[in-house]
Amino acid sequence: IEPAIAVTKTGDDTAKVGDEISYTIGFESTGTGTVENCTGTDDVFGPLGDFEPGVPRNFTFDVPADAASPLVNEATITCGVAGFDNTVSASDDHSATLIEPAIAVTKTGPATAKVGDEITYTIGFESTGTGAVENCTGTDTLLGDLGAFDAGENKTFDRTVEADDPNPLPNTATITCDVAGFENAVTDSDSHSVELFNPGIVVTKEGPETAKVGDVITYTIGFTNSGDAEVSGCTGTDTLLGDLGAFDAGENKTFDRTVEADDPNPLPNTATITCDVAGFDNQASASDDHVVDLIDPSIDVTKEGPETAKVGDVVTYTIGFTNSGDAEVSGCTGTDTLLGDLGTFEAGVKRTFEREVTADDPNPLPNTATITCDVAGLDNQVLDSAEHSVQLISPAVSIAKSCSPDPVAVGDTIEWTIDVTNDGDAELDCLVNDAEAGIVDEPLLLAATESDTLTASRIVESDDFPTISNTASVSCSVVGFDNGVDAEATADCEVEQEQGEEICRTPGFWGTHAGTEKRRSSDLAQAAIDAAGGELSICGQTIDNTDVGNVNSAVEAMCVRVQGEQQRQLARQLTAMSLNCIVSGGTADCTGTSVDSLFDDANDACTIGGGGPELGPWIDRVDCFNNGGQFDEAAGECRIDGSDPNNCQNRELDESTDIFDEISPLPGPAGSSRACSSARRNGIKVVPF
């Protein structure tokens, strides 16, 4: 067999330094036999890796700066012969012509100028390399954008020298061109320098290196003429001292300033002196700065405490400070907006303080601790503050109680309603008690703002008269805390007694039946007294007869004029009421009748009151009854309906009562009573009190 291979290598015909050349390398088996394990190398690229017959591969190569033109390189592929130990090899080379585009920029101008002069610069370029250039533009470090250029063309540019231009005044023109047929560009620059006429001064400012608040710093300021022109009219300013006034070259002046508490540290300031330049319109100016390192004493106060608390809690605050400055401090004392005087402190030593939260504390409860220290060796002080705020919870409970019906009658059922409300912002665990309603340690768990209702009832008994008054109480612990809150409420329900026997007569009737002096009349008053056991108890006075002129006479009592003293008026009304009750089958104190409680209360008031305006209401109520009316408590007046069958004026005596068996003859029609006339003439002796 005759094994053989043919290698091919193709690529770009032209390139330049920096370009990336693309090569395609491959081979074909041109002999007999089979080739295998083919690998390639290149005298420029080095190892090319594995190849397959008929499968070309692509490679790139960056043209280095030191490459020679033409750029020649050769690829070699070597294969093993299947079934044999020997190999076959073949090579192919490639040559690329390298171009070297280049341009040469020129920039010319005057050698010297001064501030305010207009300088004319001439700028252009020539193509000095191989290959064509195009799209050429220029820029200048001093002039900026120069626009488009053509090779061999010069352009001129003007610029006025400015006061802040450096001396000498350099600038560089740069022109950049595209390389025809390539993506990259070539560039070149040329510089020019103008020696400027340079008036100038040098300012000096001196002062101490360190100071502290309150020190008087002395600054020394002056200047020298460092330029090549005479200066005059020199004045100075300072960022810290303000206007410095006039200066002469070589003359130093001093200025004092006191260091203030709000000065920065370090304390910088800059003095600037400005002079006119003789023979020119412009000026020369220079500055010098100075920095004083200030001693900066300071402290850092810390205050700690709980985040939450409630009224009654004892809050523990921890207060202290560290020396955070660059000076020693001493004599440190503290105050607090909530705790008051805190006493003395040492740097790094924390102290604790306790305070009980009160009901009138704000929520949240803020307070600020302030510590003040003397600065060692100085007259001034340093201080710092730290704040702390406690969020207060406000547990509160309220209880409301009502009874129904009101009034309630003996024998009926009274019902109590107890409403418990969590009025605070914390959960409450409560016990409710109401002895009268039969509620004992009834548990309630109430979330914040939650309410609950308890009810109880029982039968009203006669012993409950005249009022059932009871108090409900709630006692709560604040969930998560040791203390608690309490509340109570009272409800009063009026109790009505069972209605006694309805009776009524009038004082006028008794006035006309007080004795036997009238024909067919009987001493009904005496009969009633006798039926009651021989006496009546009126306003603490014993009445036991109807004899005119007797101090204990019912006639004397009943015949009192209305305009008499209040106690005697009430005695008159009560005497008539007592006699009415006896005639109706009751007792002298009206027990068992519809007016027994009214009689008892009015009789007690008459006995205790001793006269005066306080008896007026009782007179009105008893008089209203005796005259057949109903007393309107809301309106405070007696209402008499003459057509009402229950009106006393329309009713006859109940002659079935046992007392009438003792009277002969029976009472007749009402008429005038000489007994009352005699009693009035007697001056009304009864109930003198």
Side-chain angles (χ1 to χ4, degrees), residues 299 320-324 329-330 332 345-350 371 373:
I299 61 173
F321 81 96
T322 57
N323 186 344
S324 56
V329 295
S330 61
C332 302
F345 283 83
E346 296 290 337
V349 180
K350 294 183 178 180
I371 296 178
C373 299

Side-chain angles (χ1 to χ4, degrees), residues 546-633:
T546 57
D547 299 333
V548 175
N550 190 315
V551 73
N552 295 335
S553 169
V555 174
E556 297 283 351
M558 289 186 294
C559 293
V560 171
R561 294 185 184 276
V562 174
Q563 65 269 27
E565 296 177 8
Q566 284 196 338
Q567 196 171 30
R568 293 187 178 184
Q569 291 184 46
L570 185 54
R572 172 198 181 203
Q573 300 289 349
L574 287 171
T575 300
M577 178 182 282
S578 180
L579 294 174
N580 280 325
C581 288
I582 297 170
V583 172
S584 299
T587 61
D589 58 4
C590 296
T591 301
T593 70
S594 62
V595 292
D596 55 356
S597 61
L598 176 60
F599 178 85
D600 287 343
D601 293 341
N603 204 26
D604 288 344
C606 183
T607 302
I608 298 169
E614 65 273 11
L615 297 184
W618 297 112
I619 295 173
D620 294 340
R621 286 164 176 74
V622 178
D623 180 62
C624 183
F625 161 76
N626 282 330
N627 285 282
Q630 296 291 328
F631 195 82
D632 187 336
E633 294 290 345

